[in-house]
Amino acid sequence: MQLIELAVHRWDAESATGTPGRLDPDMAADAVTQTIEVMAPARRGWQQAPPGTGERYRFRRTDGPESWTVVLSGDQVLLEPGATGPADVEACGTASDLALFLWRRLPPTALRVTGDAALLPYWFTLVPPV
């Protein structure tokens, strides 16, 4: 977690002073997993968030094999590894772009979105930022 935070804050500093570089692809993929498995449930507990109604999000990495399918059901954040069924919205980008989006550093427009595009920004209602 500390390495992820350091990388994101390095990106912040680079962004403030010029053009930021990408996060390391493997570390960024770990950041996506960490955000979904650990931070999303924690944030839902810390902040008042509406219950999920089965919203199905897929985050697909374009620079590697990973994809993450997440279902928000009631108070639960359910990761479905390897899921290939339909998703309500799918966001595609590099691992760096996905991680930076989930950390609220990049807007949804930085990703290639299919399905119900309005659901992508709604993620931050269901998973409130700290």
Side-chain angles (χ1 to χ4, degrees):
M1 187 61 202
Q2 290 178 336
L3 177 61
I4 294 167
E5 287 185 13
L6 177 65
V8 171
H9 292 309
R10 175 195 54 89
W11 187 92
D12 289 338
E14 289 176 353
S15 180
T17 61
T19 303
R22 293 192 174 277
L23 304 181
D24 173 80
D26 292 331
M27 189 277 312
D30 288 343
V32 173
T33 301
Q34 169 81 4
T35 300
I36 293 167
E37 289 182 338
V38 177
M39 296 308 297
R43 288 179 185 170
R44 287 186 56 76
W46 297 334
Q47 305 282 332
Q48 188 169 352
T53 59
E55 293 87 348
R56 188 180 201 84
Y57 290 84
R58 180 164 298 124
F59 299 99
R60 183 175 306 280
R61 182 178 175 187
T62 58
D63 60 344
E66 294 91 345
S67 70
W68 299 263
T69 301
V70 184
V71 178
L72 290 130
S73 179
D75 291 332
Q76 295 185 318
V77 179
L78 307 168
L79 178 61
E80 295 182 345
T84 58
D88 297 313
V89 62
E90 180 174 282
C92 299
T94 65
S96 178
D97 288 347
L98 293 170
L100 291 168
F101 166 76
L102 291 169
W103 277 71
R104 294 194 64 128
R105 296 320 197 265
L106 292 179
T109 56
L111 305 171
R112 185 173 40 96
V113 179
T114 57
D116 184 355
L119 271 180
L120 196 53
Y122 188 63
W123 170 268
F124 297 109
T125 298
L126 293 170
V127 181
V130 180

